[in-house]
Amino acid sequence: MQKSYSRLLGIVGKPNTGKSTFFSAATLAPAEIANYPFTTIKPNRGVGYVRTPCVHEEFKVQDNPVNSLCMEGVRLIPVEFIDCAGLVPGAWQGRGLGNQFLDEIRKADALVHIVDASGGTDSEGRLCKPGEHDPLEDVKFLEHEITMWMANILKRDWPKIARTAESEASDLLTMLEERLSGLSIKRSHIFEAIRKSGLNAEKPTAWSDEDYLKFVDTLRQVAKPMLIAANKIDIPADEQNLERMKKLNYLVVPCCAEAELALRRAAEKKLIDYKPGDCNFNITNPEQLTQSQIKALETIREKILLKNGSTGVQDAINMAFFKLLNMITVYPVEDLEHLADHNGRVLPDAYLVPYGTSARQLAYIVHTELGESFIYAVEARERQRIGEDHILKDRDVISIVSAKKRA
Ligand SMILES: Nc1nc2c(ncn2[C@@H]2O[C@H](COP(=O)(O)OP(=O)(O)OP(=O)(O)O)[C@@H](O)[C@H]2O)c(=O)[nH]1
Ligand SMILES: [Mg+2]
């Protein structure tokens, strides 16, 4: 069993855009939802799933999932979400629930920005006529708030860090790494941000205020990658909004969080057959539904699923893990013959790991002891022996042979 969830996804945006609705749809955890700003005051945390085709059909076996679920050939791997309080302009200076909100995203590895694509909420999240507010402004403002928040955290120590990096042996990367570790910012992120911003890491004292902000802004993009969930697509709006958002260089996923929540709740009560992310559903128990409930479900089918291919919620989650964070799925097994663990459970675990993970790193992820006593691994599809440095591929089934035991 994977003890800790591999990554945390932050659900962010201004108030009243549907963050808690998205969160609830993704996790089925209760969260307060209402059509006024600042409904969420304390962040909600919960577990949802990444969806991927399971390998059991390809290997022609029946599986017994342990750390994940398998529904009709779809493997659902748990991941953690945090639903943040809404953010208003000036939050980095403490406006609204500003600093509290920003503190919540410290631990997030990637962000889903829930934008009200209908333009029916103003910059503070108050209801207005659809189309009255330009959703592109929300994208710019959120980038600015997060960058300024990060810049502010580092600002006090920056002159000293820059001076020390130049005058002593201690390098800039190490000092920034220490200072920023509480924000889930890694050395590789800092390295990448310096490289991308084209600044001279040998002479940080020469960086202007503008250079410093450019570095922090780049660091935000690298360390807190973000995609846009263009929510409330059920409300008729200017179709150009989506196109204009895509030009901002983001992954943009059209969404109807409200529809996903309705479908997930109906599926939970076994009223419909629906897996998160499906393109359609079957009503299984019509006698338990009122006419108006059936009508509402049919409207979702017609206006959202048939039109857009899905509600977009699961697509946004999958894109966050597979595209923004570049993760893959791997299935470690002990018994290569039966693709089972030591209890005979077939394909028990599916792990989400970053692309670039080696066979030995996987062994360490499964268990420290297994990593330490690693000898070699076998890839089940080709039945090929692989060495410790072998880089794993998506949907690999891997048996690890160690000096102590197999896994
Ligand atoms: N039409 C439509 N309304 C939605 C959708 N998603 C959420 N809403 C509505 O938008 C309003 C705000 O939803 P919440 O989920 O509470 O929004 P929030 O972003 O968490 O708001 P705060 O916690 O106040 O920041 C509620 O009335 C929801 O029912 C959607 O896809 N379509
Ligand atoms: Mg909320």
Side-chain angles (χ1 to χ4, degrees), residues 19-21 32-33 39-40 44 83-86:
K19 296 181 297 299
S20 298
T21 310
E32 210 175 326
I33 295 168
T39 304
T40 306
N44 299 296
D83 165 32
C84 300

Side-chain angles (χ1 to χ4, degrees), residues 260-330:
E260 179 72 11
L261 182 59
L263 294 176
R264 292 283 302 271
R265 283 193 173 147
E268 192 189 27
K269 291 186 192 127
K270 308 230 177 313
L271 301 169
I272 63 169
D273 227 349
Y274 174 76
K275 299 185 293 304
D278 276 355
C279 59
N280 211 336
F281 62 87
N282 278 326
I283 297 183
T284 44
N285 272 319
E287 66 285 354
Q288 287 182 29
L289 289 163
T290 63
Q291 278 310 310
S292 68
Q293 282 173 321
I294 291 180
K295 197 166 160 229
L297 285 168
E298 289 306 337
T299 306
I300 291 176
R301 192 199 310 273
E302 194 189 323
K303 296 260 158 58
I304 305 292
L305 299 182
L306 297 182
K307 197 165 156 222
N308 291 285
S310 72
T311 68
V313 170
Q314 190 62 49
D315 306 71
I317 298 167
N318 270 29
M319 278 198 195
F321 286 90
F322 295 133
K323 296 229 165 108
L324 288 184
L325 293 171
N326 217 0
M327 301 191 87
I328 58 168
T329 48
V330 288

